[in-house]
Amino acid sequence: MHQPRHPSRFPLRLLTALTLAACSPPSPQTDAQSPEPQTAAPATNGSAIDLIVHGNYIVTMDERMSVIRNGAVAVDEGIIIAIGAADEIDAEYSATEVLEGDNRIVLPGLVNGHSHAAMTLLRGVADDLELMTWLNDYIFPAEVQFVDAEFVRIGTELACWEMIRGGTTTFVDMYYHPDAVASVVESCGMRAYVSATVIGQRSPDAEGAEDSIAKGLEFIERWQGRNSRITPYFGPHANYTMNEEQLRATREAANESGVPISIHLSESPYEVQYSKENYGTTSIAFLESINFFDGPTIGAHVVWPTEEEIPILAERRVGVIHNPTSNMKIASGISPVTEMLRAGVRVGLGTDGAASNNDLDMWEEMRLAAFLQKVDRMDPTVLSAGTVLGMATRGGAEAIGLGDSVGMLATGMRADLIQVSFDDVHFIPTYDVISHLVYVSDEQDVTATVVDGKVLMKDGKMLTIDTARVRQEATALAARIKTALTEQNR
Ligand SMILES: [Zn+2]
């Protein structure tokens, strides 16, 4: 259902060619089963490049929401150098590696704008609890007891495996022992923001806020400019776990190092109440009053902004990350996503940590984001499939400050893209590919994941992570955690 009056920045102007097209077989000239030249000794005299990705549909997520039938994306040195009809791309280029496009949809990789990757190891450790009980009685104590660099390495690798498997190419992480996170990201090939997390209490890697800022500055110095896929940044936890002085100091340190900030922002009624009692005003208004938004900022959650606060987010260009599953599971509330988009706020999507989700499936976030707004407004026309797909790709990239390089398939963009198979019975019939991507697809339908032109997963097979080893390490560590928790609760 497309609603022309929707205020989204991702208007649905689907090409007419798209409708009802998937049922027809691919045209002979783009038959993806014909063998492609695998080396630089081709039958064609096309220029030699690294990679060509074919698809029955190329969903570009550009401003016009263009969808190319029987198309291809040409990639060289990590960059999209051409995109268009498959026969034209094949005539022009000869690639070392080709991803065939039979029954495949190609689209930009998904952007998970808020996560705590290593918390995969705490998946299911405590469920069905109110946020502050969950944090104070379970998560914070468990973290102090169990989280060390090894825990973070294993948990992050497990998360990256799950994210690559599900078509996520970029994630914004907020956790501890950031060197361990960055090392995993470096080796598995994803793109990530890795945080020096700051919290006003003892944490797994620091004695308090001052210590975490000092260590964070050292981490940023080690990683800034080292790998173009990895952006180190500061992650002050929230305004209820830090005081004004600590929040100001973190912003200052971030600005001095030239890195962004991400913070849990207006997540729960508790946070807003805490803010009123301790700072005299609501969360966003308070942070604005101390110039906290003076610099690139990503606000995670933003469930309870007041009417006056939404324009602040737009004016200050705060990227908002909506986490519908976590907000539902912890009963934090329903974020006014529709109003924020209407006010020009950049809104992306995130999974939050696996302990409050309990998976890292961005397809589920898309679906729930749409459904939650519709039922909240009692209006099925809000947050259309195209808008939600935009939030998971281009809009998410814009919200985190990477809009110039990823989130859209266009010449000159970094080659972060995925192939989704529509072989499964749940795609039949296919009237509208964008509807299916949002309302039908799940992470099992993703068959290939490419970041920076490098294929991280092909035909569902993980190429940069040793799946068997990660499974074994995660299972062994979880067994130790379970034993310790059982002993404790005896
Ligand atoms: Zn979070």
Side-chain angles (χ1 to χ4, degrees):
M1 280 200 287
H2 310 144
Q3 39 316 115
R5 287 177 52 251
H6 196 274
S8 157
R9 289 169 300 131
F10 305 99
L12 277 180
R13 275 179 239 150
L14 298 181
L15 301 187
T16 46
L18 158 67
T19 316
L20 280 170
C23 304
S24 60
S27 60
Q29 72 271 22
T30 58
D31 184 354
Q33 287 179 350
S34 60
E36 296 287 343
Q38 294 296 307
T39 68
T44 68
N45 52 7
S47 337
I49 59 167
D50 294 336
L51 174 70
I52 295 178
V53 183
H54 288 223
N56 290 146
Y57 302 93
I58 311 286
V59 176
T60 63
M61 299 311 292
D62 66 9
E63 294 188 9
R64 294 172 43 240
M65 292 288 282
S66 313
V67 176
I68 302 166
R69 281 301 321 266
N70 295 322
V73 182
V75 175
D76 200 40
E77 294 187 350
I79 290 174
I80 297 174
I81 56 165
I83 176 167
D87 47 0
E88 287 169 22
I89 297 284
D90 287 343
E92 177 99 24
Y93 302 100
S94 161
T96 311
E97 185 164 16
V98 175
L99 299 181
E100 305 295 4
D102 239 5
N103 273 358
R104 296 290 183 271
I105 303 161
V106 178
L107 70 153
L110 307 179
V111 177
N112 184 347
H114 180 65
S115 68
H116 312 278
M119 289 184 87
T120 44
L121 289 173
L122 298 175
R123 193 190 326 255
V125 82
D127 294 312
D128 310 324
L129 297 165
E130 186 271 325
L131 175 66
M132 295 320 294
T133 311
W134 180 74
L135 277 179
N136 289 329
D137 296 355
Y138 294 87
I139 297 301
F140 288 151
E143 284 178 333
V144 167
Q145 193 175 350
F146 299 113
V147 175
D148 56 15
E150 183 70 348
F151 175 107
V152 172
R153 178 186 67 78
I154 296 169
T156 305
E157 215 169 0
L158 179 61
C160 290
W161 171 23
E162 185 179 349
M163 287 192 278
I164 293 169
R165 177 72 190 84
T168 294
T169 50
T170 297
F171 67 106
V172 176
D173 199 50
M174 184 196 282
Y175 213 56
Y176 306 104
H177 295 287
D179 286 279
V181 178
S183 297
V184 169
V185 172
E186 187 162 56
S187 68
C188 80
M190 290 186 76
R191 191 181 302 284
Y193 279 32
V194 181
S195 92
T197 299
V198 185
I199 190 164
Q201 62 197 44
R202 191 178 154 221
S203 75
D205 63 1
E207 291 308 314
E210 206 177 316
D211 190 29
S212 27
I213 292 173
K215 286 176 174 157
L217 286 168
E218 290 168 15
F219 160 72
I220 287 162
E221 196 161 322
R222 280 192 292 279
W223 284 91
Q224 205 167 28
R226 175 163 154 184
N227 183 324
S228 62
R229 290 184 285 104
I230 298 170
T231 305
Y233 78 99
F234 269 110
H237 179 266
N239 74 3
Y240 59 90
T241 48
M242 298 172 69
N243 62 32
E244 179 179 337
E245 188 193 344
Q246 294 164 342
L247 289 160
R248 282 181 188 272
T250 311
R251 177 84 260 175
E252 246 167 61
N255 286 357
E256 270 167 32
S257 319
V259 299
I261 267 184
S262 180
I263 184 168
H264 292 103
L265 185 60
S266 206
E267 176 175 0
S268 63
Y270 167 85
E271 179 190 321
V272 176
Q273 192 54 35
Y274 180 95
S275 189
K276 282 187 195 162
E277 283 167 16
N278 290 272
Y279 306 117
T281 182
T282 46
S283 286
I284 296 165
F286 160 64
L287 289 172
E288 169 70 349
S289 77
I290 64 164
N291 296 321
F292 187 81
F293 302 125
D294 269 1
T297 308
I298 302 165
H301 298 290
V302 192
V303 179
W304 296 100
T306 63
E307 238 170 76
E308 296 72 39
E309 286 176 326
I310 290 178
I312 297 175
L313 298 170
E315 278 158 34
R316 295 302 220 139
R317 301 169 76 77
V318 174
V320 166
I321 302 301
H322 177 43
N323 302 262
T325 305
S326 172
N327 294 163
M328 291 168 80
K329 183 163 185 270
I330 308 177
S332 298
I334 302 176
S335 171
V337 171
T338 312
E339 282 77 6
M340 287 194 283
L341 286 173
R342 194 174 287 145
V345 179
R346 303 144 171 242
V347 187
L349 286 177
T351 57
D352 210 356
S356 63
N357 188 304
N358 290 356
D359 58 36
L360 305 176
D361 183 351
M362 286 288 290
W363 304 93
E364 189 174 59
E365 299 307 320
M366 281 191 249
R367 203 147 42 239
L368 290 177
F371 295 166
L372 200 49
Q373 290 298 297
K374 293 173 194 305
V375 75
D376 183 47
R377 302 294 127 130
M378 287 305 284
D379 178 358
T381 68
V382 300
L383 224 61
S384 68
T387 304
V388 166
L389 190 59
M391 288 165 66
T393 54
R394 193 172 121 234
E398 284 171 356
I400 67 169
L402 290 184
D404 291 340
S405 51
V406 300
M408 173 171 65
L409 301 182
T411 304
M413 301 292 275
R414 303 305 305 183
D416 289 14
L417 51 93
I418 60 176
Q419 275 186 324
V420 173
S421 157
F422 56 102
D423 281 330
D424 195 275
V425 67
H426 65 199
F427 283 100
I428 303 170
T430 300
Y431 295 110
D432 179 334
V433 70
I434 289 180
S435 160
H436 272 9
L437 284 172
V438 173
Y439 295 135
V440 174
S441 301
D442 60 43
E443 49 187 5
Q444 306 296 325
D445 296 314
V446 180
T447 55
T449 300
V450 176
V451 176
D452 236 20
K454 185 174 175 185
V455 183
L456 310 186
M457 180 181 74
K458 186 177 178 179
D459 299 328
K461 192 168 177 290
M462 205 59 60
L463 302 177
T464 54
I465 292 178
D466 182 341
T467 301
R469 176 182 53 75
V470 175
R471 184 192 297 276
Q472 188 272 325
E473 286 178 344
T475 307
L477 181 50
R480 294 211 300 277
I481 293 171
K482 191 170 181 193
T483 306
L485 285 176
T486 312
E487 290 286 302
Q488 244 166 254
N489 294 334
R490 206 164 262 172

